[in-house]
Amino acid sequence: MGSPKSGGAKEDTDVDIVGISAYTEGERVFAYHGPRIYESKVQKVEMRKVDNTEEKRYFVHYLGWNKNWDEWVGPERLLKFTEENKKLQEDLKLKQQGTDKNPKSGRSSHMKPKSSADAKMDKEDTRNYVGKGKKRKSDFSIEEKDTISNEKLVKIQIPSTLKKQLVDDWEFVVQLGKLVKLPRSPCVDDIMKRYLDYKLKKEGMIGESVGEILKGLRCYFDKALPVMLLYKMERQQYQEAIKDDVSPSSVYGAEHLLRLFVKLPELLSYANIEEEASTRLHTKLIDLLKFLQKNQSTFFLSAYDNPKGGVAEGSGKDGLEGDDN
């Protein structure tokens, strides 16, 4: 699964953070399949059951391909049919052609599809997102790639109240033109510390794996925020807030951390995680989400600011002592 730029909220964001993008039957689109993007057509739009949750799905036909390739996909796999996305399609095609050969083996290296976000990450960090797979000829089977991608996907079920939080977040920024006031308190670092304190009080000790997972999550957040987790109108604010050696996790809060959970399955698909470790990781991530849900009124803002400092209508206390709303 790639990290496509969003088509549904094209004017406001580069990625579909909350899965609200709307596509219609008969619409010509671009669709991710494996590491590339293909011209496609939306043939059906339905609400379908995914992991016991009703979600919008699109039945697409890949133009120029046999109808046997037709499939149901989520909005994260689709892009609007624009010149910008056509260029992205061409760039990914050239990039894939350049990486099809593994210098060490001389054969095709089975790579996870890379997103525009991954391309901007440091080479060392990018390698951590690349899954090892079977070597094969460069004339790849996109069906095989997609199947392996789904098998490696760490599915994270976000609680319904936090899904509503994501929708509210999207409406504040995209529809109302508001921004989260920075710096946030508690910030992501503070939330993770509180989670550790919570686990210590509840269980009497903190497992080493919990600390490692939080450390890795913080790293993912700092790397992913500027390239995957911001709406377009939030970028200037980011440039002003994050300077020198300041880490995003010390400035941004729960609102943007929750956006990361939407993108985590995609990011983790690049990591070479064993099944047993993946199961443990999934359990820990769900527990952290429950912690966010339990403290939702404290960690999340109920109102965002105008870019010039005004407060959004419907402002209310977010329940956090000392927070500047």
Side-chain angles (χ1 to χ4, degrees):
M1 180 170 107
S3 172
K5 294 183 178 180
S6 171
K10 178 66 179 65
E11 300 84 358
D12 304 282
T13 176
D14 281 346
V15 286
D16 176 14
I17 295 175
V18 300
I20 295 179
S21 294
Y23 300 90
T24 58
E25 290 186 9
E27 182 176 356
R28 192 177 184 184
V29 297
F30 287 113
Y32 275 85
H33 201 323
R36 296 186 184 179
I37 297 173
Y38 298 85
E39 292 187 24
S40 309
K41 183 178 180 180
V42 177
Q43 296 186 317
K44 299 178 185 177
V45 181
E46 292 182 7
M47 295 298 293
R48 298 173 69 86
K49 199 167 187 179
V50 180
D51 294 331
N52 297 319
T53 302
E54 290 290 326
E55 296 183 8
K56 185 171 287 188
R57 286 293 182 265
Y58 303 89
F59 191 71
V60 298
H61 169 68
Y62 298 95
L63 301 180
W65 290 79
N66 189 291
K67 66 179 181 180
N68 291 333
W69 290 102
D70 295 359
E71 63 176 335
W72 289 98
V73 302
E76 72 280 356
R77 290 268 300 275
L78 300 180
L79 302 171
K80 287 291 184 180
F81 195 83
T82 65
E83 287 299 320
E84 182 181 5
N85 289 332
K86 185 173 180 61
K87 184 178 185 303
L88 175 62
Q89 177 194 37
E90 295 170 352
D91 290 344
L92 287 179
K93 182 178 180 180
L94 290 174
K95 186 174 182 180
Q96 179 64 24
Q97 290 173 345
T99 57
D100 270 345
K101 290 293 182 178
N102 185 324
K104 293 184 179 180
S105 67
R107 294 185 294 170
S108 169
S109 176
H110 183 87
M111 304 284 285
K112 301 298 298 180
K114 292 186 178 181
S115 68
S116 58
D118 299 313
K120 296 178 183 178
M121 291 185 178
D122 297 335
K123 293 181 179 179
E124 180 178 353
D125 295 310
T126 304
R127 284 198 296 270
N128 294 329
Y129 299 134
V130 178
K132 295 180 181 179
K134 296 180 180 179
K135 308 281 186 175
R136 53 195 177 91
K137 297 179 181 179
S138 57
D139 183 18
F140 64 89
S141 162
I142 57 178
E143 181 179 44
E144 179 182 347
K145 281 180 174 285
D146 199 57
T147 299
I148 293 177
S149 174
N150 289 333
E151 288 176 353
K152 289 177 68 67
L153 204 62
V154 177
K155 296 182 179 180
I156 301 174
Q157 185 65 34
I158 297 177
S160 58
T161 56
L162 293 183
K163 283 186 177 181
K164 174 62 167 57
Q165 188 76 47
L166 284 166
V167 174
D168 291 344
D169 175 54
W170 179 85
E171 289 179 345
F172 270 128
V173 179
V174 176
Q175 294 190 335
L176 300 179
K178 310 297 181 181
L179 296 174
V180 172
K181 187 172 183 179
L182 301 178
R184 283 290 286 116
S185 176
C187 62
V188 171
D189 288 343
D190 294 334
I191 291 172
M192 291 185 176
K193 184 179 184 302
R194 292 190 187 188
Y195 178 68
L196 285 175
D197 292 342
Y198 160 76
K199 295 295 288 184
L200 180 61
K201 182 178 180 180
K202 180 180 179 181
E203 301 176 3
M205 61 177 294
I206 299 175
E208 183 178 347
S209 63
V210 175
E212 288 299 314
I213 288 173
L214 293 183
K215 182 179 179 181
L217 198 62
R218 180 182 183 275
C219 181
Y220 271 111
F221 182 83
D222 286 342
K223 288 289 184 180
L225 180 76
V227 291
M228 298 182 76
L229 306 181
L230 295 177
Y231 290 109
K232 183 169 292 186
M233 71 170 297
E234 293 178 305
R235 291 178 189 159
Q236 181 179 347
Q237 182 191 42
Y238 172 84
Q239 295 296 331
E240 295 171 353
I242 306 301
K243 297 179 179 179
D244 301 323
D245 294 327
V246 175
S247 64
S249 57
S250 67
V251 176
Y252 286 81
E255 297 78 17
H256 292 78
L257 177 61
L258 185 56
R259 296 182 194 177
L260 175 66
F261 276 89
V262 177
K263 290 297 180 181
L264 267 181
E266 172 185 334
L267 291 172
L268 293 173
S269 69
Y270 293 93
N272 186 26
I273 305 176
E274 297 295 334
E275 183 176 353
E276 183 178 346
S278 177
T279 300
R280 291 198 302 269
L281 174 62
H282 178 269
T283 300
K284 295 293 191 296
L285 292 175
I286 293 299
D287 189 62
L288 179 54
L289 274 174
K290 290 180 178 179
F291 178 72
L292 290 177
Q293 183 184 30
K294 182 179 180 180
N295 295 276
Q296 189 167 351
S297 62
T298 299
F299 290 166
F300 292 88
L301 291 171
S302 60
Y304 291 10
D305 276 8
N306 285 314
K308 294 183 179 180
V311 179
E313 294 182 3
S315 172
K317 295 182 180 179
D318 68 351
L320 180 65
E321 184 177 350
D323 199 22
D324 295 324
N325 282 330

